[in-house]
Amino acid sequence: MAKQCKRVILASGSPRRKDILADMGVEFVVSPSNVDESRIHSPFPRILVQKLATKKAEDVFKTHANDVVVAADTIVVKGTKELGKPKDRQDAVNVISRLSGKWHVVYTGVCVISDGKKKVFCDASKVKFKKLSKKEIEDYVNTFKPFDKAGAYGIQDGVVVEKYKGSYSNILGLPKTKLAAVLAQVGVYDGNN
């Protein structure tokens, strides 16, 4: 097992992101950012998630300048509409109803800061929902309570998604393959961690 010379700081409290980093064998400390995401905008999803990830990374880097900071942001886009975390139960039902039987795109932007240098990238995956009845949607929301997830669902629940194209871990919130390459570049990952 390679010894990491720098600490990796995950600027996110997301359980899915923690699981992905742990699964990669990366030792890390969690330090969520306090960025007000509502103040950051872009009409382009790919740019928006990268801007959000960068702001989060910069925020946490202020107090962890000797470490490697990893931040990410994920959004779900149907057509031209961004579907973030649902505001409440009814919003979750509405979002899932909108996605039922259709394809959408999941974008995750990632920013890694090491020695003050930023590496920023984005990955996109396509997801198709099963055709869901009103009862199935209500049951899903009541059972899984997907209020902390963009698009009001988690692919790992194995309930609403019919199929996907692209990176599975990207849909969860952290594109593992692309992240591994960047962490290797900054010297905290060698694939055998």
Side-chain angles (χ1 to χ4, degrees):
M1 184 152 174
K3 185 72 191 120
Q4 293 174 198
C5 48
K6 288 186 170 190
R7 281 194 319 170
V8 173
I9 309 295
L10 177 62
S12 170
S14 159
R16 274 94 38 209
R17 291 189 182 121
K18 288 191 258 189
D19 289 348
I20 291 166
L21 264 189
D23 186 50
M24 290 169 68
V26 175
E27 290 177 27
F28 63 95
V29 175
V30 173
S31 179
S33 87
N34 296 309
V35 168
D36 179 0
E37 296 181 32
S38 67
R39 301 171 63 103
I40 301 163
H41 306 282
S42 171
F44 307 105
R46 200 173 270 283
I47 292 170
L48 178 62
V49 291
Q50 291 180 84
K51 276 173 114 174
L52 286 161
T54 300
K55 289 291 182 199
K56 291 177 185 179
E58 289 170 346
D59 179 55
V60 172
F61 189 72
K62 287 180 210 162
T63 53
H64 293 280
N66 296 319
D67 301 311
V68 175
V69 176
V70 177
D73 193 81
T74 302
I75 58 172
V76 169
V77 178
K78 175 73 190 93
T80 58
K81 177 98 173 106
E82 288 167 22
L83 306 170
K85 295 174 186 170
K87 293 187 276 297
D88 53 32
R89 188 187 170 285
Q90 190 53 51
D91 190 29
V93 168
N94 294 345
V95 167
I96 295 170
S97 301
R98 182 182 191 136
L99 296 174
S100 174
K102 299 186 178 86
W103 284 95
H104 62 272
V105 183
V106 178
Y107 294 93
T108 298
V110 180
C111 178
V112 176
I113 305 182
S114 177
D115 296 325
K117 296 185 188 76
K118 291 176 212 146
K119 294 187 182 291
V120 185
F121 60 92
C122 176
D123 202 358
S125 304
K126 290 184 174 174
V127 179
K128 186 175 188 224
F129 264 32
K130 297 172 184 170
K131 187 79 180 125
L132 303 163
S133 68
K134 190 167 178 6
K135 182 180 185 318
E136 286 172 320
I137 293 168
E138 299 269 351
D139 288 350
Y140 177 76
V141 171
N142 291 339
T143 303
F144 290 95
K145 302 184 179 6
F147 309 120
D148 66 333
K149 298 178 180 82
Y153 77 95
I155 190 170
Q156 69 277 17
D157 302 333
V159 177
V160 295
V161 173
E162 182 180 303
K163 56 187 170 182
Y164 68 92
K165 295 176 182 173
S167 163
Y168 179 83
S169 67
N170 181 62
I171 300 163
L172 287 173
L174 211 51
K176 199 189 287 190
T177 305
K178 288 188 175 182
L179 178 60
V182 172
L183 292 179
Q185 287 170 11
V186 299
V188 292
Y189 187 75
D190 68 0
N192 301 314
N193 285 36

